[in-house]
Structure formats: C-alpha cells, structure tokens
Amino acid sequence: MDGSLAPATEASCHGGRDRLVEAARAAGKSATLDKLMADYPRGPHDQPQSMCPAFGSLRVGLRMKRVATILSGSACCVYGLTFTSHFYGARRTVGYVPFNSESLVKGQLFEDIRNAVYETAKPADYDAVVVINLCVPTASGVPLDLLPKQIDGVRIIGIDVPGFGVPTHAEAKDVLTGAMLKYARNEAETGPVARPRHLEDRPTVAVIGELFPADPPGIGALLAPMGMAVAPSLPCREWRDLYAALDCEVAAAVHPFYTASVREFRAAGRPVIGSGPIGVDGTADWLAAVGNAAGMTGAKIDAAKAAALPAIRAALDANPIRARITLSGYEGSELLVARLLMEAGAEIPYVGTACPRTEWSEADRAWLEHRGTHVQYRASLEQDIAAMMDVRPDLAVGTTPLVQKAKELGIPALYFTNMVSARPLFGAAGAGSLAAIVAAQTRGAPRFARMVSFFEGVGSQTTAGYGFKGKPVEPQGARERTRKARLAKAKSLEAVGT
Ligand code: SF4
C-alpha cells in the first residue's frame, strides 16, 4: 500500500460496489479481485442480499481449535459479524484491529495488523492466525500478503473477503478453507507434517461442505462395503485434519461452490466428484462415482449399493411427502434437498440457489430439470418471491425475507437453514428426516389463513405498525436540502482533486 489512495470509507454493501472495486484495483488488489471473480462468478445476484459474506470465512476460522481469527474492517461491519458469530454460539474471541481514515491512508493499519498478529501468534496457544480484510481495507489495498508466513511455527493466513468480490457467505467459507488447504498442501509437499489425530488405514473420501454432524458417519457407513472410509470433512475442526483430508483417495464436492478448495485437491492429484448420496438415485450414482474414481471393482460398487439402497427406498416409502413446494436458499445444498423431497413424493416446480452454477451440481441440475423443475442459480430474492407467488405452493422453503413474504400471503413457510441444519440429509437417515417437518408445516395452512385475516387492515410498508394510518409526512424541503448539500460536498472534493 503506497498510502496515496483515498480510502473508500463511506461505501458499503448497501451501495458503492463499483467504487469499491475501482478503489481496490487502483490500490493493487487487481489479482485478488480477478481470482475472486473467476472463482465466484456473478449472476443476477451480485450484491449480498443476506448477511455479510465475510461471516462464512469468520465462521470457518472460529470453529477450528487453536486457530485465532482477527478482523480488519469498519467497526459497524465488525459489530455485525461479531454479533452474528456469538448468536450462532461461537464461544470464541473475535479479534479486531480498528482503524480510522488517517491510519488507513498512512498505512498505519497494516502496521497495527502486523503488531496484532505478532502479539497473538504464540505457539502455546495457536496453530494458526487468520486475518480477514473486510470491504474497506480490501478497497484500500491493505496488503495482507506482506504479513510473515509464520511466526515461531504459527501459520499466518491473510485473506481478502470483500462483499464486492465474494457474493455469498457460503462462498466465503471456501475462501478460507481453500487458503488453509493451500498452506497445508505446501507444508506436506515440503516435509513431514503432524500426524492426523484419527488416521485411517482404509482409502478415504474427503467430503467438502459443512454437514449436519450425523452425516459424515452416515456417509462412512455407505462407503464401508467398498472398504473405504470418510476423511475429516471440510471445513475442518483442527489444522492437522487438513493433512488427513488432502491424503484422501477421492474428494467429494457435496456442496458445489468450493472452487478454491477443489483446486487444492486437484493440485494434490486427487480426483473430485460432484453431487451427493441423496435419495435412491443420488446415492446409487454417487457410490458409483466414488468407486470408479477410487478404482474399485464393479462388484464392490454393487455391494455398496445393495447394502444402502433398499433401506433408503424403505425410508422414503415410509415417509411420503404429498405437497407442492418451492425451495430457495443460500447454503449451496438446495438442489440436493430438492432431490430428496421429490424422491419422497413432493412436487417442486422451482429451486433457487444464491450459489453459482458449477460442474459439481450438474448431475443434480440435470436430474431436477428432467423432472420439470426450474433451477435458478444465483437466484435473487425477487426471483424467489416471484416464483413463490406464481406457484402458490403448499409450503415455501426459503430465506428469512422470503418466509416473511410467504407469511404475509398466508402461505406456510419454513426457513431453509433451520430445516437442513438440524437433521441429516444423506443415506437412509436423510430419507426419513424431512417428511415430518414438511407435514407439520403444511398442516398449519388454516392457521396461516387465520393469521392473515387477524392482521387484515393493520397496514403495510409505510403504514405498518400499530396506530399508523397514513403515509408519514416528509419534512418540507428536507430531500432538496440534502441533495444540495451532497452536490456541494462533491464539488468541493473535486476542487481539492484539481
Ligand atoms: S464487510 Fe460485510 S457488512 Fe461490511 S460493507 Fe462489506 S459486505 Fe457490508
């Protein structure tokens, strides 16, 4: 950072993306931005429509043992991220290096970050220290790549996770996971590394994606007839898990947006397969893909299928779903969940995911589209809502604002993250897990209708809330005065520039 650039301190995720991108490029972050945009291509959903994307990286760091995570960003962003972390039960300290315009412009912020890293990197406490540049430090070119790579054996990992370069918090998980895998791969290629805590003697499958805790053992049971086991799944819980994951026979991109992580597995010479062991069709195809990638015989693959598929079929038959559902979310597992619901009997005309289209969800997209489902990648909230209003489903599964809209319309609705994060998805356990919650929600349809009639006339938008009957009156001339003040400020800044 040369200190000559005016930091974009007033821009945020609520506007000014182009300005931030321009500032970041001018500040020497072009290579970083190009990589982010290649890994996480944009679609109609260019701006965060949910929580700050950096939460994904922060969460990955906070969930690891002996890893410290430090944020560098505006205080308001850090407040929101810290609040969300603790809301989700982080129970860990979130480090923060504050700044002001002066320390940002003069390059002092980088010095402050480096000092914080030196203070934190104690081998008795940590295996790694992660520093995350949020929007403003990224746009101002704070050069985390100039941090030392390690201090007394503690690895230092600096990443840029700006909202204007990483569209969703799901993909931000990949930014940190990929950076850690790269570091661990380089370590393993240059010398001996710490022995993983649970070292498998069978060939393993490294599952990529944040899963419900019961899912990895369930996947292990599916693999056992082929003589295979699961490696620690990614994002992982401690540094040495990274070595065990990289040591796998096959990597499985169950969540299909981990582009940087997949790159590291490929660099380590591991084949990578897509989709997941979901329902009968998905499990059969996935076991075949794993077996083929691992060089298993047809007999072993058939044995694995024979052990798994009848139980999954039986669980689906015992828990039929009779409902028309629209499904959308930003977790990346939307297509898999839709497949499972459809195999159980649901009709799903629309699936929207905030994540991009990648080769690892191609099989799921083809399966769904073959059965008449419209799959929308990089779906915006507006598209999800339009689909729900068009379909008028028995149940709308989606993000918080979609669920809110559905409730206003009297449509039973369910928050996607709550539905999938508290139950298994894969194998026979997954096949039986979703039916009950769908049935409970669709049974509540008359209650939603009563709710709509109860609140009838309370008001909406500018008249929402008790006691508000009309549109609030604007103070006379306020908008015009603000517009003129903005114009005057812009002109005075131009004058300074010339
Ligand atoms: S860091 Fe997150 S909250 Fe802050 S401006 Fe960027 S996207 Fe928004």
Side-chain angles (χ1 to χ4, degrees), residues 124-408:
D125 299 329
Y126 296 114
D127 292 333
V129 175
V130 174
V131 184
I132 302 174
N133 255 353
L134 303 178
C135 282
V136 170
T138 304
S140 304
V142 174
L144 296 184
D145 51 326
L146 297 186
L147 288 171
K149 295 290 168 257
Q150 60 86 28
I151 299 167
D152 294 336
V154 178
R155 298 130 184 119
I156 311 299
I157 298 184
I159 51 171
D160 296 301
V161 193
F164 55 86
V166 184
T168 63
H169 84 284
E171 289 152 293
K173 293 179 194 172
D174 178 50
V175 177
L176 181 53
T177 308
M180 287 184 162
L181 278 170
K182 184 173 187 179
Y183 199 119
R185 181 173 63 78
N186 287 333
E187 286 180 313
E189 282 172 0
T190 47
V193 293
R195 183 184 166 86
R197 203 173 294 275
H198 306 290
L199 203 56
E200 260 295 337
D201 45 14
R202 293 173 289 178
T204 59
V205 175
V207 178
I208 307 171
E210 216 177 9
L211 307 182
F212 180 68
D215 268 330
I219 294 174
L222 296 174
L223 295 169
M226 289 195 284
M228 299 184 79
V230 278
S233 51
L234 294 166
C236 57
R237 293 308 178 96
E238 62 177 320
W239 189 270
R240 62 179 81 186
D241 286 348
L242 294 163
Y243 308 132
L246 284 164
D247 195 38
C248 69
E249 192 72 22
V250 180
V254 169
H255 285 183
F257 52 83
Y258 280 82
T259 309
S261 304
V262 163
R263 186 162 49 237
E264 296 309 318
F265 277 104
R266 286 188 169 154
R270 307 295 180 240
V272 182
I273 61 160
S275 191
I278 197 90
V280 174
D281 292 357
T283 305
D285 292 346
W286 189 80
L287 287 171
V290 170
N292 290 331
M296 294 286 157
T297 61
K300 280 198 171 173
I301 296 172
D302 288 344
K305 287 187 193 175
L309 302 185
I312 297 174
R313 178 79 273 157
L316 287 169
D317 290 346
N319 298 280
I321 295 175
R322 306 268 173 263
R324 192 170 154 84
I325 299 171
T326 54
L327 196 122
S328 42
Y330 44 62
E331 303 290 338
S333 54
E334 292 76 24
L335 276 64
L336 295 173
V337 174
R339 285 188 68 163
L340 186 58
L341 290 168
M342 282 178 79
E343 278 209 31
E347 182 197 345
I348 304 192
Y350 174 86
V351 177
T353 175
C355 293
R357 181 172 175 173
T358 65
E359 61 182 281
W360 307 291
S361 65
E362 270 308 281
D364 304 316
R365 182 197 58 75
W367 191 95
L368 289 165
E369 288 186 350
H370 183 67
R371 285 155 183 80
T373 301
H374 175 81
V375 177
Q376 181 64 52
Y377 289 100
R378 283 278 188 246
S380 65
L381 174 63
E382 291 75 16
Q383 286 170 319
D384 293 340
I385 289 179
M388 176 184 71
M389 292 177 72
D390 188 35
V391 169
R392 287 271 159 179
D394 302 315
L395 177 67
V397 181
T399 54
T400 307
L402 181 122
V403 168
Q404 185 184 339
K405 182 74 186 168
K407 285 180 176 167
E408 279 172 24

Side-chain angles (χ1 to χ4, degrees), residues 403-474:
V403 168
Q404 185 184 339
K405 182 74 186 168
K407 285 180 176 167
E408 279 172 24
L409 297 168
I411 298 172
L414 200 57
Y415 180 40
F416 182 92
T417 308
N418 284 1
M419 180 164 109
V420 299
S421 63
R423 45 190 53 78
L425 274 187
F426 302 117
S433 73
L434 293 180
I437 187 164
V438 171
Q441 291 300 316
T442 48
R443 262 201 309 274
R447 189 161 42 90
F448 279 92
R450 280 205 305 281
M451 218 162 63
V452 170
S453 72
F454 180 81
F455 286 109
E456 191 80 62
V458 167
S460 61
Q461 296 182 5
T462 51
T463 61
Y466 179 77
F468 293 93
K469 295 213 170 2
K471 191 174 172 187
V473 182
E474 279 189 22

